[in-house]
Amino acid sequence: MIIAIDFDGTIVEQRYPKVGKEIPFACATLSMLQEDGHQLILWTYRAGRELEDAVEFCRSKGVEFYAVNKNYPEEVFDESISRKIKADLYIDDMNYGGLPDWGEIYAGINGLERKLSQRTRKKGFARLFR
């Protein structure tokens, strides 16, 4: 699954342009999601030095992103390409209802994967998305 994750207010407390304190279990959960085979995209308003600070903070905690503010590492944006990130799931503190606890997020992703896997086995992949 491709998962896009916001930084400020989601991985760390909101202190933009500084890097806030890590939200409990954020980086540990992201590491587990990577170990489970998910592709993580850092999806943030940050740019320039502030973006580098965010990437380095995550790297220091053992989280390496598949891509940063892009759909894939080699993507080059110009005026003709949308800046929208394509992902299967978006984790952001601005979600309706706010940011759940990272343990709830991990459990929810695992539950979603199990449901999709069960549906695929029961109905066949082609019928799953009709």
Side-chain angles (χ1 to χ4, degrees), residues 22-34:
E22 180 184 353
I23 292 177
F25 306 108
C27 290
T29 303
L30 293 174
S31 291
M32 290 188 321
L33 290 170
Q34 284 181 308

Side-chain angles (χ1 to χ4, degrees), residues 2-6 11 34 38-44 51 55 58-59 63-77 83 85-87:
I2 299 171
I3 304 172
I5 304 103
D6 180 38
I11 296 174
Q34 284 181 308
H38 299 288
Q39 287 184 333
L40 305 183
I41 296 175
L42 182 62
W43 175 53
T44 178
L51 179 58
V55 170
C58 293
R59 185 174 289 132
V63 178
E64 289 281 344
F65 292 98
Y66 167 71
V68 176
N69 286 343
K70 299 176 179 182
N71 291 299
Y72 51 90
E74 303 82 18
E75 187 171 32
V76 177
F77 287 106
R83 289 291 313 223
I85 300 294
K86 182 194 176 304

Side-chain angles (χ1 to χ4, degrees), residues 10-120:
T10 303
I11 296 174
V12 298
E13 294 174 351
Q14 188 68 261
R15 298 283 185 262
Y16 182 83
K18 296 179 181 179
V19 173
K21 284 179 41 182
E22 180 184 353
I23 292 177
F25 306 108
C27 290
T29 303
L30 293 174
S31 291
M32 290 188 321
L33 290 170
Q34 284 181 308
E35 289 171 15
D36 292 345
H38 299 288
Q39 287 184 333
L40 305 183
I41 296 175
L42 182 62
W43 175 53
T44 178
Y45 174 79
R46 288 177 175 253
R49 182 72 216 154
E50 288 85 12
L51 179 58
E52 291 172 22
D53 291 344
V55 170
E56 183 52 41
F57 173 86
C58 293
R59 185 174 289 132
S60 76
K61 302 287 186 175
V63 178
E64 289 281 344
F65 292 98
Y66 167 71
V68 176
N69 286 343
K70 299 176 179 182
N71 291 299
Y72 51 90
E74 303 82 18
E75 187 171 32
V76 177
F77 287 106
D78 63 31
E79 297 298 318
S80 66
I81 299 173
S82 170
R83 289 291 313 223
K84 188 168 184 170
I85 300 294
K86 182 194 176 304
D88 300 306
L89 181 69
Y90 300 84
I91 302 173
D92 191 325
D93 62 309
M94 300 304 280
N95 290 329
Y96 178 78
L99 182 71
D101 172 272
W102 276 97
E104 291 176 53
I105 292 170
Y106 186 76
I109 291 170
N110 283 334
L112 176 62
E113 282 192 307
R114 277 192 299 277
K115 284 181 184 177
L116 289 173
S117 178
Q118 289 169 353
R119 283 186 188 169
T120 302

